Amino acid sequence: SEPFKIRGYAIWFLLGGGKGSGLEVRLYVDGKVVRTAKNTENHEDMRPVIWTIAEYKGKDAEIEIIDDSMDAWGHINVDNFRYVRLIGDL
């Protein structure tokens, strides 16, 4: 992603696709990986992921989507990144 300032308490997004190595979503804060997400099974259904990030509020961040697999399920699907305050905000 383009660099951005963290302004929320949690990042919520949808994740689907393959579970193999080389398929992952990473959150970098000040250039270091602080959160990751990957599928634990192969599925096309998009399932929610929540990263709590309150401790990084105001810091510079980037999101990287890694799609580096040649397996039969060698793809990753992500969508709908947004900030949330509480689970009830969904």
Side-chain angles (χ1 to χ4, degrees):
S1 70
E2 292 291 320
F4 62 94
K5 289 257 187 234
I6 295 200
R7 296 178 195 219
Y9 298 95
I11 293 176
W12 182 96
F13 62 97
L14 296 171
L15 175 64
K19 68 174 183 174
S21 64
L23 302 170
E24 185 173 68
V25 182
R26 295 178 183 165
L27 174 66
Y28 291 82
V29 174
D30 293 335
K32 296 179 184 171
V33 176
V34 298
R35 299 285 185 274
T36 62
K38 62 188 309 181
N39 288 313
T40 57
E41 58 187 67
N42 296 327
H43 56 82
E44 293 298 344
D45 296 336
M46 303 287 274
R47 299 179 183 171
V49 174
I50 299 173
W51 287 330
T52 57
I53 54 166
E55 68 268 33
Y56 304 113
K57 199 166 183 183
K59 296 194 178 239
D60 294 322
E62 292 178 78
I63 293 173
E64 179 181 32
I65 301 165
I66 299 165
D67 189 352
D68 188 20
S69 176
M70 298 298 287
D71 295 338
W73 274 87
H75 67 284
I76 189 168
N77 304 323
V78 294
D79 193 21
N80 205 18
F81 285 85
R82 59 184 162 160
Y83 287 118
V84 294
R85 286 187 187 213
L86 305 167
I87 300 300
D89 289 348
L90 303 173

Coordinates of all heavy atoms in Angstrom, one line a residue:
S1 N 0.8 -1.2 0.0 CA 0.0 0.0 0.0 C 0.9 1.2 0.0 O 2.1 1.2 0.2 CB -0.9 0.0 1.2 OG -0.2 0.2 2.4
E2 N 0.2 2.3 -0.2 CA 0.9 3.6 0.0 C 1.1 3.8 1.5 O 0.2 3.3 2.3 CB 0.0 4.8 -0.5 CG -0.1 4.8 -2.0 CD 1.2 5.1 -2.7 OE1 1.9 6.0 -2.2 OE2 1.5 4.5 -3.7
P3 N 2.1 4.4 2.0 CA 2.3 4.7 3.4 C 1.1 5.5 4.0 O 0.5 6.3 3.3 CB 3.6 5.5 3.5 CG 4.3 5.2 2.2 CD 3.2 5.0 1.2
F4 N 0.7 5.2 5.2 CA -0.4 5.9 5.9 C -0.1 6.0 7.4 O 0.7 5.2 7.9 CB -1.7 5.2 5.6 CG -1.8 3.8 6.1 CD1 -2.4 3.5 7.4 CD2 -1.4 2.7 5.4 CE1 -2.5 2.2 7.9 CE2 -1.5 1.4 5.8 CZ -2.0 1.2 7.1
K5 N -0.8 6.9 8.0 CA -0.7 7.1 9.5 C -1.8 6.2 10.1 O -2.9 6.3 9.6 CB -0.9 8.5 9.9 CG 0.3 9.4 9.6 CD 1.1 9.7 10.8 CE 2.1 10.7 10.4 NZ 3.5 10.3 10.7
I6 N -1.5 5.5 11.1 CA -2.5 4.7 11.8 C -3.3 5.6 12.6 O -2.8 6.4 13.4 CB -1.8 3.6 12.7 CG1 -1.1 2.6 11.8 CG2 -2.8 3.0 13.6 CD1 -0.8 1.3 12.3
R7 N -4.6 5.6 12.4 CA -5.6 6.5 13.0 C -6.7 5.8 13.8 O -7.6 6.4 14.3 CB -6.2 7.4 12.0 CG -5.1 8.3 11.4 CD -5.6 9.1 10.3 NE -4.4 9.6 9.7 CZ -4.1 10.7 9.2 NH1 -5.0 11.6 9.2 NH2 -3.0 11.0 8.6
G8 N -6.6 4.5 13.8 CA -7.7 3.7 14.5 C -7.2 2.8 15.6 O -6.0 2.8 15.8
Y9 N -8.1 2.0 16.1 CA -7.7 1.1 17.2 C -7.6 -0.3 16.7 O -6.9 -1.2 17.3 CB -8.8 1.1 18.3 CG -8.9 2.5 18.9 CD1 -9.8 3.4 18.4 CD2 -8.0 2.9 19.9 CE1 -9.9 4.7 19.0 CE2 -8.1 4.1 20.5 CZ -9.0 5.0 20.0 OH -9.1 6.3 20.6
A10 N -8.2 -0.6 15.5 CA -8.1 -1.9 14.9 C -8.3 -1.8 13.4 O -9.0 -0.9 13.0 CB -9.1 -2.9 15.5
I11 N -7.7 -2.7 12.7 CA -7.9 -2.8 11.2 C -8.7 -4.1 11.0 O -8.3 -5.2 11.4 CB -6.6 -2.8 10.4 CG1 -6.0 -1.4 10.6 CG2 -6.9 -3.1 8.9 CD1 -4.6 -1.3 9.9
W12 N -9.8 -4.0 10.3 CA -10.6 -5.1 9.9 C -10.6 -5.3 8.4 O -10.6 -4.3 7.6 CB -12.1 -4.8 10.3 CG -13.1 -5.9 10.1 CD1 -13.5 -6.8 11.0 CD2 -13.9 -6.1 8.9 NE1 -14.5 -7.6 10.4 CE2 -14.7 -7.2 9.1 CE3 -13.9 -5.5 7.6 CZ2 -15.6 -7.6 8.2 CZ3 -14.8 -6.0 6.7 CH2 -15.6 -7.0 7.0
F13 N -10.5 -6.5 7.9 CA -10.5 -6.8 6.5 C -11.0 -8.2 6.2 O -11.1 -9.0 7.1 CB -9.1 -6.5 5.8 CG -8.0 -7.4 6.3 CD1 -7.6 -8.5 5.6 CD2 -7.3 -7.0 7.4 CE1 -6.5 -9.3 6.0 CE2 -6.2 -7.8 7.8 CZ -5.8 -8.9 7.1
L14 N -11.2 -8.5 4.9 CA -11.7 -9.8 4.5 C -10.5 -10.6 3.8 O -9.8 -10.0 3.1 CB -12.9 -9.7 3.6 CG -14.1 -9.1 4.2 CD1 -15.2 -8.9 3.1 CD2 -14.7 -10.0 5.3
L15 N -10.4 -11.9 4.1 CA -9.3 -12.7 3.6 C -9.9 -14.0 3.1 O -10.6 -14.7 3.8 CB -8.3 -12.9 4.7 CG -7.1 -13.8 4.4 CD1 -6.2 -13.3 3.3 CD2 -6.3 -14.1 5.6
G16 N -9.4 -14.4 1.9 CA -9.8 -15.7 1.3 C -8.7 -16.2 0.4 O -7.7 -15.6 0.3
G17 N -8.9 -17.4 -0.2 CA -8.0 -17.9 -1.1 C -7.2 -19.1 -0.5 O -7.8 -19.8 0.3
G18 N -6.0 -19.3 -0.9 CA -5.2 -20.5 -0.5 C -4.5 -20.3 0.8 O -4.3 -19.2 1.3
K19 N -4.0 -21.5 1.3 CA -3.4 -21.5 2.6 C -1.9 -21.7 2.5 O -1.2 -21.7 3.5 CB -4.0 -22.5 3.5 CG -3.7 -23.9 3.1 CD -4.1 -25.0 4.1 CE -3.8 -26.3 3.6 NZ -4.1 -27.4 4.6
G20 N -1.4 -21.9 1.3 CA 0.0 -22.3 1.2 C 1.0 -21.2 1.5 O 0.7 -20.1 1.8
S21 N 2.3 -21.6 1.6 CA 3.4 -20.6 1.8 C 3.4 -19.7 0.7 O 3.1 -19.9 -0.4 CB 4.7 -21.4 2.0 OG 5.1 -22.0 0.8
G22 N 3.9 -18.5 1.0 CA 3.9 -17.4 0.0 C 2.6 -16.6 -0.2 O 2.5 -15.9 -1.1
L23 N 1.7 -16.9 0.7 CA 0.4 -16.2 0.7 C 0.1 -15.6 2.0 O -0.2 -16.3 3.0 CB -0.8 -17.2 0.3 CG -0.6 -17.9 -1.0 CD1 -1.6 -19.0 -1.1 CD2 -0.7 -17.0 -2.2
E24 N 0.2 -14.2 2.1 CA 0.1 -13.6 3.4 C -0.2 -12.1 3.3 O 0.2 -11.5 2.3 CB 1.5 -13.8 4.1 CG 1.6 -13.3 5.5 CD 2.9 -13.7 6.2 OE1 3.9 -13.2 5.8 OE2 2.8 -14.6 7.1
V25 N -0.8 -11.5 4.3 CA -1.0 -10.1 4.4 C -0.1 -9.6 5.6 O -0.2 -10.2 6.7 CB -2.4 -9.7 4.6 CG1 -2.6 -8.2 4.7 CG2 -3.3 -10.3 3.5
R26 N 0.7 -8.6 5.4 CA 1.5 -8.1 6.5 C 1.3 -6.6 6.7 O 1.0 -5.8 5.8 CB 3.0 -8.2 6.0 CG 3.5 -9.6 5.9 CD 4.9 -9.6 5.4 NE 5.3 -11.0 5.2 CZ 6.4 -11.3 4.6 NH1 7.2 -10.4 4.0 NH2 6.7 -12.6 4.4
L27 N 1.3 -6.2 8.0 CA 1.2 -4.8 8.4 C 2.6 -4.4 8.9 O 3.2 -5.0 9.8 CB 0.2 -4.6 9.5 CG 0.2 -3.2 10.1 CD1 -0.4 -2.2 9.0 CD2 -0.7 -3.2 11.3
Y28 N 3.2 -3.4 8.3 CA 4.5 -2.8 8.7 C 4.2 -1.5 9.4 O 3.4 -0.7 9.0 CB 5.3 -2.5 7.5 CG 5.8 -3.7 6.7 CD1 5.0 -4.3 5.7 CD2 7.1 -4.1 6.9 CE1 5.5 -5.4 5.0 CE2 7.6 -5.2 6.2 CZ 6.8 -5.9 5.2 OH 7.3 -6.9 4.5
V29 N 4.9 -1.3 10.5 CA 4.8 -0.1 11.3 C 6.3 0.4 11.4 O 7.1 -0.4 12.0 CB 4.1 -0.2 12.6 CG1 4.2 1.1 13.4 CG2 2.6 -0.6 12.4
D30 N 6.6 1.6 11.0 CA 7.9 2.1 11.0 C 8.9 1.1 10.4 O 10.0 0.9 10.9 CB 8.3 2.5 12.4 CG 7.5 3.7 13.0 OD1 7.0 4.5 12.2 OD2 7.4 3.8 14.2
G31 N 8.5 0.5 9.3 CA 9.4 -0.4 8.6 C 9.5 -1.9 9.1 O 10.2 -2.7 8.5
K32 N 8.8 -2.2 10.2 CA 8.9 -3.5 10.8 C 7.6 -4.2 10.7 O 6.5 -3.6 10.9 CB 9.3 -3.4 12.3 CG 10.7 -2.9 12.4 CD 11.1 -2.8 13.9 CE 12.4 -2.1 14.0 NZ 12.7 -1.8 15.4
V33 N 7.6 -5.5 10.5 CA 6.3 -6.3 10.4 C 5.8 -6.5 11.9 O 6.5 -7.0 12.7 CB 6.6 -7.7 9.8 CG1 5.3 -8.5 9.9 CG2 7.1 -7.6 8.4
V34 N 4.6 -6.0 12.1 CA 4.0 -6.1 13.4 C 2.7 -7.0 13.4 O 2.3 -7.4 14.5 CB 3.6 -4.7 14.0 CG1 4.9 -3.9 14.1 CG2 2.6 -4.0 13.1
R35 N 2.1 -7.3 12.3 CA 1.0 -8.1 12.2 C 1.0 -8.9 10.9 O 1.5 -8.3 9.9 CB -0.4 -7.4 12.3 CG -0.6 -6.6 13.5 CD -1.0 -7.4 14.7 NE -1.3 -6.6 15.9 CZ -0.4 -6.2 16.8 NH1 0.9 -6.4 16.6 NH2 -0.8 -5.5 17.8
T36 N 0.6 -10.1 10.9 CA 0.4 -10.9 9.7 C -0.9 -11.7 9.7 O -1.5 -11.9 10.8 CB 1.6 -12.0 9.5 OG1 1.5 -12.9 10.6 CG2 2.9 -11.3 9.5
A37 N -1.3 -12.1 8.5 CA -2.6 -12.9 8.4 C -2.4 -13.8 7.2 O -1.9 -13.4 6.2 CB -3.8 -12.0 8.2
K38 N -2.8 -15.0 7.4 CA -2.8 -16.0 6.3 C -4.0 -17.0 6.6 O -4.4 -17.1 7.7 CB -1.5 -16.7 6.1 CG -1.0 -17.5 7.3 CD 0.4 -18.0 7.1 CE 0.6 -18.6 5.8 NZ 1.9 -19.2 5.5
N39 N -4.4 -17.6 5.5 CA -5.5 -18.6 5.6 C -4.9 -19.9 6.3 O -3.8 -20.3 6.0 CB -6.0 -18.9 4.3 CG -6.9 -17.8 3.7 OD1 -7.7 -17.3 4.4 ND2 -6.7 -17.5 2.5
T40 N -5.8 -20.6 7.1 CA -5.4 -21.8 7.7 C -6.0 -23.0 6.9 O -5.7 -24.2 7.2 CB -5.9 -21.9 9.1 OG1 -7.3 -21.7 9.2 CG2 -5.2 -20.9 10.0
E41 N -6.8 -22.7 5.9 CA -7.4 -23.7 5.0 C -7.7 -23.0 3.6 O -7.8 -21.8 3.6 CB -8.7 -24.3 5.6 CG -9.8 -23.3 5.9 CD -10.9 -23.9 6.6 OE1 -10.8 -24.3 7.7 OE2 -12.0 -24.0 5.9
N42 N -7.8 -23.8 2.6 CA -8.2 -23.3 1.3 C -9.6 -23.0 1.2 O -10.5 -23.9 1.5 CB -7.8 -24.3 0.2 CG -6.3 -24.6 0.1 OD1 -5.5 -23.7 0.4 ND2 -6.0 -25.8 -0.2
H43 N -10.0 -21.8 0.9 CA -11.4 -21.4 0.8 C -11.6 -20.1 0.0 O -10.8 -19.2 0.1 CB -12.1 -21.3 2.1 CG -11.5 -20.3 3.1 ND1 -11.8 -19.0 3.0 CD2 -10.6 -20.5 4.1 CE1 -11.0 -18.4 4.0 NE2 -10.4 -19.3 4.6
E44 N -12.6 -20.0 -0.8 CA -12.9 -18.8 -1.5 C -13.8 -17.9 -0.7 O -13.8 -16.7 -1.0 CB -13.6 -19.1 -2.9 CG -12.7 -19.8 -3.9 CD -11.5 -19.0 -4.3 OE1 -11.4 -17.8 -4.1 OE2 -10.6 -19.7 -4.9
D45 N -14.4 -18.4 0.3 CA -15.3 -17.5 1.2 C -14.3 -16.5 1.8 O -13.3 -16.8 2.4 CB -16.0 -18.3 2.2 CG -17.0 -19.3 1.7 OD1 -17.5 -19.0 0.6 OD2 -17.3 -20.3 2.4
M46 N -14.7 -15.2 1.8 CA -13.9 -14.2 2.4 C -14.3 -14.1 3.9 O -15.5 -14.0 4.2 CB -14.2 -12.8 1.8 CG -14.0 -12.8 0.3 SD -12.2 -12.8 -0.1 CE -11.9 -11.1 0.0
R47 N -13.3 -14.3 4.8 CA -13.6 -14.3 6.2 C -12.9 -13.1 6.9 O -11.8 -12.7 6.5 CB -13.0 -15.6 6.8 CG -13.8 -16.8 6.2 CD -13.3 -18.1 6.6 NE -14.1 -19.2 5.9 CZ -13.7 -20.5 6.0 NH1 -12.7 -20.8 6.7 NH2 -14.4 -21.4 5.4
P48 N -13.5 -12.6 7.9 CA -12.9 -11.4 8.6 C -11.6 -11.7 9.4 O -11.5 -12.7 10.0 CB -14.0 -10.9 9.5 CG -14.9 -12.1 9.7 CD -14.8 -13.0 8.5
V49 N -10.8 -10.7 9.3 CA -9.5 -10.7 10.1 C -9.5 -9.3 10.9 O -9.9 -8.3 10.3 CB -8.3 -10.7 9.2 CG1 -7.0 -10.6 10.0 CG2 -8.2 -12.1 8.5
I50 N -9.1 -9.3 12.1 CA -9.0 -8.1 12.9 C -7.6 -8.0 13.5 O -7.2 -9.0 14.2 CB -10.1 -8.0 14.0 CG1 -11.5 -8.0 13.4 CG2 -9.9 -6.8 14.8 CD1 -12.6 -8.1 14.5
W51 N -6.9 -6.9 13.2 CA -5.7 -6.6 13.9 C -5.9 -5.5 14.9 O -6.3 -4.4 14.5 CB -4.6 -6.2 12.8 CG -4.1 -7.2 11.9 CD1 -3.9 -8.5 12.1 CD2 -3.6 -6.9 10.6 NE1 -3.3 -9.1 11.1 CE2 -3.1 -8.2 10.1 CE3 -3.5 -5.8 9.8 CZ2 -2.5 -8.3 8.8 CZ3 -2.9 -5.9 8.6 CH2 -2.4 -7.1 8.1
T52 N -5.6 -5.7 16.1 CA -5.6 -4.6 17.1 C -4.3 -3.9 16.9 O -3.2 -4.4 16.9 CB -5.8 -5.2 18.5 OG1 -4.7 -6.1 18.8 CG2 -7.1 -5.8 18.7
I53 N -4.5 -2.5 16.9 CA -3.3 -1.7 16.5 C -3.2 -0.4 17.4 O -2.5 0.5 17.0 CB -3.3 -1.3 15.0 CG1 -4.7 -0.7 14.7 CG2 -3.0 -2.5 14.2 CD1 -4.7 0.0 13.4
A54 N -4.0 -0.4 18.5 CA -4.0 0.9 19.3 C -2.6 1.3 19.7 O -2.4 2.5 19.7 CB -4.9 0.7 20.5
E55 N -1.7 0.4 19.9 CA -0.4 0.8 20.4 C 0.4 1.5 19.3 O 1.5 2.1 19.6 CB 0.4 -0.4 21.0 CG 0.8 -1.4 19.9 CD -0.2 -2.6 19.8 OE1 -1.4 -2.3 19.9 OE2 0.2 -3.7 19.5
Y56 N 0.0 1.4 18.1 CA 0.7 2.1 17.0 C 0.0 3.3 16.5 O 0.5 3.9 15.5 CB 0.8 1.1 15.8 CG 1.5 -0.2 16.2 CD1 0.8 -1.4 16.2 CD2 2.8 -0.2 16.6 CE1 1.4 -2.6 16.6 CE2 3.4 -1.4 17.0 CZ 2.7 -2.6 17.0 OH 3.3 -3.7 17.4
K57 N -1.0 3.8 17.1 CA -1.7 5.0 16.7 C -0.8 6.2 16.5 O 0.1 6.5 17.3 CB -2.8 5.4 17.7 CG -3.9 6.2 17.1 CD -5.1 6.3 18.0 CE -6.2 7.1 17.3 NZ -7.3 7.3 18.1
G58 N -0.9 6.8 15.3 CA -0.1 8.0 14.9 C 1.2 7.6 14.2 O 1.9 8.5 13.7
K59 N 1.5 6.3 14.1 CA 2.8 5.9 13.5 C 2.6 5.6 12.0 O 1.4 5.4 11.6 CB 3.3 4.7 14.2 CG 3.7 4.9 15.6 CD 4.6 3.8 16.2 CE 5.0 4.2 17.6 NZ 6.4 4.2 17.8
D60 N 3.7 5.6 11.3 CA 3.6 5.4 9.8 C 3.5 3.9 9.6 O 4.2 3.1 10.2 CB 4.9 5.9 9.1 CG 5.0 7.4 9.2 OD1 3.9 8.1 9.1 OD2 6.1 7.9 9.4
A61 N 2.6 3.5 8.6 CA 2.3 2.1 8.4 C 2.2 1.8 6.9 O 2.0 2.8 6.1 CB 1.1 1.6 9.1
E62 N 2.3 0.6 6.5 CA 2.0 0.1 5.1 C 1.5 -1.3 5.3 O 1.8 -2.1 6.2 CB 3.3 0.0 4.3 CG 3.9 1.4 4.0 CD 5.2 1.2 3.2 OE1 5.1 1.0 2.0 OE2 6.3 1.4 3.8
I63 N 0.7 -1.7 4.3 CA 0.1 -3.1 4.2 C 0.7 -3.7 2.9 O 0.7 -3.1 1.9 CB -1.4 -3.1 4.2 CG1 -1.9 -2.6 5.5 CG2 -1.9 -4.5 3.8 CD1 -3.4 -2.4 5.6
E64 N 1.2 -4.9 3.1 CA 1.7 -5.7 1.9 C 1.0 -6.9 1.8 O 0.7 -7.7 2.7 CB 3.2 -6.0 2.2 CG 3.9 -6.8 1.0 CD 5.3 -7.1 1.3 OE1 5.7 -7.3 2.5 OE2 6.1 -7.2 0.3
I65 N 0.5 -7.2 0.5 CA -0.2 -8.5 0.2 C 0.8 -9.3 -0.6 O 1.2 -8.9 -1.7 CB -1.5 -8.2 -0.6 CG1 -2.4 -7.3 0.2 CG2 -2.1 -9.5 -1.0 CD1 -3.5 -6.7 -0.5
I66 N 1.1 -10.5 -0.1 CA 2.1 -11.3 -0.7 C 1.3 -12.5 -1.4 O 0.6 -13.2 -0.8 CB 3.1 -11.9 0.3 CG1 3.9 -10.7 0.9 CG2 4.1 -12.9 -0.4 CD1 4.6 -11.1 2.2
D67 N 1.5 -12.6 -2.7 CA 0.9 -13.6 -3.5 C 2.0 -14.2 -4.4 O 2.1 -13.9 -5.5 CB -0.2 -12.9 -4.4 CG -1.1 -13.9 -5.2 OD1 -0.8 -15.1 -5.1 OD2 -2.0 -13.5 -5.8
D68 N 2.7 -15.1 -3.7 CA 3.9 -15.7 -4.3 C 3.8 -17.2 -4.2 O 4.6 -17.8 -3.5 CB 5.2 -15.2 -3.7 CG 6.4 -15.6 -4.4 OD1 6.3 -16.0 -5.6 OD2 7.5 -15.6 -3.8
S69 N 2.9 -17.9 -4.9 CA 2.7 -19.3 -4.8 C 2.3 -19.8 -6.2 O 1.5 -19.2 -6.9 CB 1.7 -19.7 -3.8 OG 1.4 -21.1 -3.8
M70 N 2.8 -21.0 -6.5 CA 2.4 -21.6 -7.8 C 1.5 -22.9 -7.5 O 1.3 -23.7 -8.4 CB 3.6 -22.0 -8.6 CG 4.5 -20.8 -9.0 SD 3.6 -19.6 -10.0 CE 3.6 -20.5 -11.6
D71 N 1.1 -23.1 -6.3 CA 0.3 -24.2 -5.9 C -1.1 -24.1 -6.6 O -1.5 -23.1 -7.1 CB 0.0 -24.3 -4.4 CG 1.3 -24.6 -3.6 OD1 2.3 -25.1 -4.3 OD2 1.4 -24.3 -2.5
A72 N -1.9 -25.2 -6.6 CA -3.2 -25.2 -7.2 C -4.1 -24.1 -6.5 O -4.9 -23.5 -7.2 CB -3.9 -26.6 -7.0
W73 N -3.9 -23.9 -5.2 CA -4.6 -22.9 -4.5 C -3.7 -21.7 -4.3 O -3.8 -21.0 -3.3 CB -5.1 -23.4 -3.1 CG -6.4 -24.1 -3.3 CD1 -6.7 -25.4 -3.6 CD2 -7.7 -23.5 -3.1 NE1 -8.0 -25.6 -3.6 CE2 -8.7 -24.5 -3.3 CE3 -8.1 -22.2 -2.7 CZ2 -10.0 -24.2 -3.2 CZ3 -9.5 -22.0 -2.6 CH2 -10.4 -23.0 -2.8
G74 N -2.8 -21.4 -5.2 CA -1.8 -20.4 -5.1 C -2.3 -19.0 -5.4 O -1.8 -18.3 -6.3
H75 N -3.3 -18.5 -4.6 CA -3.8 -17.2 -4.7 C -4.3 -16.7 -3.4 O -4.7 -17.5 -2.5 CB -4.8 -17.0 -5.8 CG -6.1 -17.8 -5.5 ND1 -6.2 -19.1 -5.6 CD2 -7.3 -17.3 -5.0 CE1 -7.5 -19.5 -5.2 NE2 -8.1 -18.4 -4.9
I76 N -4.4 -15.4 -3.2 CA -4.9 -14.8 -2.0 C -5.9 -13.7 -2.4 O -5.7 -13.0 -3.4 CB -3.8 -14.2 -1.1 CG1 -4.3 -13.8 0.2 CG2 -3.1 -13.1 -1.9 CD1 -3.2 -13.5 1.2
N77 N -7.0 -13.6 -1.7 CA -8.1 -12.7 -1.9 C -8.2 -11.8 -0.7 O -8.3 -12.3 0.4 CB -9.4 -13.3 -2.2 CG -9.4 -14.3 -3.3 OD1 -8.7 -14.2 -4.3 ND2 -10.1 -15.4 -3.1
V78 N -8.2 -10.5 -0.9 CA -8.4 -9.5 0.2 C -9.3 -8.4 -0.2 O -9.4 -8.1 -1.4 CB -7.1 -9.0 0.8 CG1 -6.2 -10.0 1.4 CG2 -6.3 -8.3 -0.3
D79 N -10.0 -7.9 0.7 CA -11.0 -6.8 0.4 C -11.4 -6.1 1.7 O -11.2 -6.6 2.8 CB -12.2 -7.4 -0.2 CG -13.1 -6.4 -0.9 OD1 -12.7 -5.3 -1.2 OD2 -14.3 -6.8 -1.1
N80 N -11.9 -4.9 1.5 CA -12.6 -4.1 2.4 C -11.8 -3.7 3.7 O -12.3 -3.9 4.8 CB -13.9 -4.8 2.8 CG -15.0 -3.9 3.3 OD1 -15.0 -2.7 3.1 ND2 -16.0 -4.5 4.0
F81 N -10.6 -3.3 3.5 CA -9.8 -2.8 4.7 C -10.5 -1.6 5.3 O -10.8 -0.6 4.6 CB -8.4 -2.5 4.2 CG -7.5 -3.6 4.0 CD1 -7.6 -4.2 2.7 CD2 -6.7 -4.1 4.9 CE1 -6.8 -5.3 2.4 CE2 -5.9 -5.2 4.7 CZ -5.9 -5.8 3.4
R82 N -10.6 -1.6 6.6 CA -11.2 -0.4 7.3 C -10.8 -0.4 8.8 O -10.5 -1.4 9.3 CB -12.7 -0.3 7.1 CG -13.4 -1.5 7.7 CD -14.9 -1.4 7.4 NE -15.5 -2.7 7.6 CZ -16.8 -2.9 7.8 NH1 -17.6 -1.8 7.8 NH2 -17.3 -4.1 7.9
Y83 N -10.9 0.8 9.4 CA -10.6 0.9 10.8 C -11.9 0.6 11.5 O -13.0 0.9 11.1 CB -10.2 2.4 11.2 CG -8.9 2.8 10.8 CD1 -8.7 3.8 9.9 CD2 -7.7 2.1 11.3 CE1 -7.4 4.2 9.5 CE2 -6.5 2.5 10.9 CZ -6.3 3.6 10.0 OH -5.0 4.0 9.7
V84 N -11.8 0.0 12.7 CA -12.9 -0.2 13.6 C -12.4 0.1 15.0 O -11.2 0.0 15.3 CB -13.5 -1.6 13.6 CG1 -14.1 -1.9 12.2 CG2 -12.4 -2.7 13.9
R85 N -13.3 0.5 15.9 CA -12.9 0.8 17.3 C -13.1 -0.4 18.2 O -12.3 -0.7 19.0 CB -13.8 1.9 17.8 CG -13.4 3.3 17.3 CD -14.2 4.3 18.0 NE -13.9 5.6 17.4 CZ -13.9 6.7 18.1 NH1 -14.1 6.8 19.3 NH2 -13.7 7.8 17.4
L86 N -14.2 -1.0 18.0 CA -14.6 -2.2 18.8 C -15.2 -3.2 18.0 O -15.7 -3.0 16.9 CB -15.6 -1.8 19.9 CG -15.2 -0.6 20.8 CD1 -16.4 -0.1 21.6 CD2 -14.1 -1.0 21.8
I87 N -15.3 -4.4 18.5 CA -16.0 -5.5 17.7 C -17.4 -5.1 17.4 O -17.9 -5.4 16.3 CB -16.0 -6.8 18.6 CG1 -14.6 -7.3 18.9 CG2 -16.7 -7.9 17.8 CD1 -13.7 -7.5 17.7
G88 N -18.1 -4.4 18.3 CA -19.4 -3.9 18.0 C -19.6 -2.9 16.8 O -20.6 -2.7 16.3
D89 N -18.4 -2.4 16.4 CA -18.4 -1.4 15.3 C -18.7 -2.1 13.9 O -18.9 -1.5 12.9 CB -17.1 -0.7 15.1 CG -17.0 0.4 16.2 OD1 -18.0 0.6 17.0 OD2 -15.9 0.9 16.4
L90 N -18.6 -3.5 13.9 CA -18.7 -4.2 12.7 C -20.2 -4.2 12.3 O -20.7 -4.3 11.4 CB -18.1 -5.6 12.8 CG -16.6 -5.6 13.2 CD1 -16.2 -7.0 13.4 CD2 -15.8 -5.0 12.1

